Amino acid sequence: MVNPTGDPKVSPAMDVDPAGDLKKLDQTPPAPTSNDPKDYPGLKIESLKAGDGKELLVGKKAKVRYIGTLVNGKEFDSSWKRGMEPLEFALDGVVTGFRVGLLGMKVGEQRRITIPGEFGYKEAGSPGAGIGPNETLFFDVELVDVVD
């Protein structure tokens, strides 16, 4: 098969730059960087219980209780099960789908967030947690506090 360059030795994943050198084309579209859930196909955010406290916004830290499960129902992490205090973290330190799914929550709110693999641990997965490549993640989350 001849690719668009007309050179049968060049694979379809390669292109020729203006200087005539071959370069690899990035076949994967860049992941969105917005905070709008509509920009993340397959990301599902369900409010299970309304909250009436402070709203979680970009630049703030979240203090949450959560449980994370896989499609098969296997639990891979749970702050409740370990009996630990709510986990506090900056939003830029978690996978994209979790960050976007938490934004806009109000203290006291509970959500179920479904995160497709491409907005979770991607191709690498998280073998130590039992999460395979591109696995969909489910989180039930309660926002306990917003920290400035």
Side-chain angles (χ1 to χ4, degrees), residues 32-89:
T33 56
S34 82
N35 292 318
D36 187 342
K38 291 181 272 184
D39 291 335
Y40 299 86
L43 180 67
K44 185 175 177 185
I45 303 167
E46 302 169 79
S47 184
L48 305 175
K49 177 185 167 199
D52 58 4
K54 289 175 23 179
E55 184 175 357
L56 182 58
L57 303 170
V58 173
K60 305 289 183 184
K61 288 185 179 179
K63 191 179 267 192
V64 302
R65 288 189 183 98
Y66 65 93
I67 183 170
T69 57
L70 303 173
V71 171
N72 64 8
K74 180 184 172 210
E75 183 179 298
F76 62 85
D77 196 8
S78 171
S79 65
W80 282 299
K81 191 171 191 174
R82 289 180 290 180
M84 64 185 254
E85 291 295 313
L87 181 67
E88 181 179 316
F89 54 86

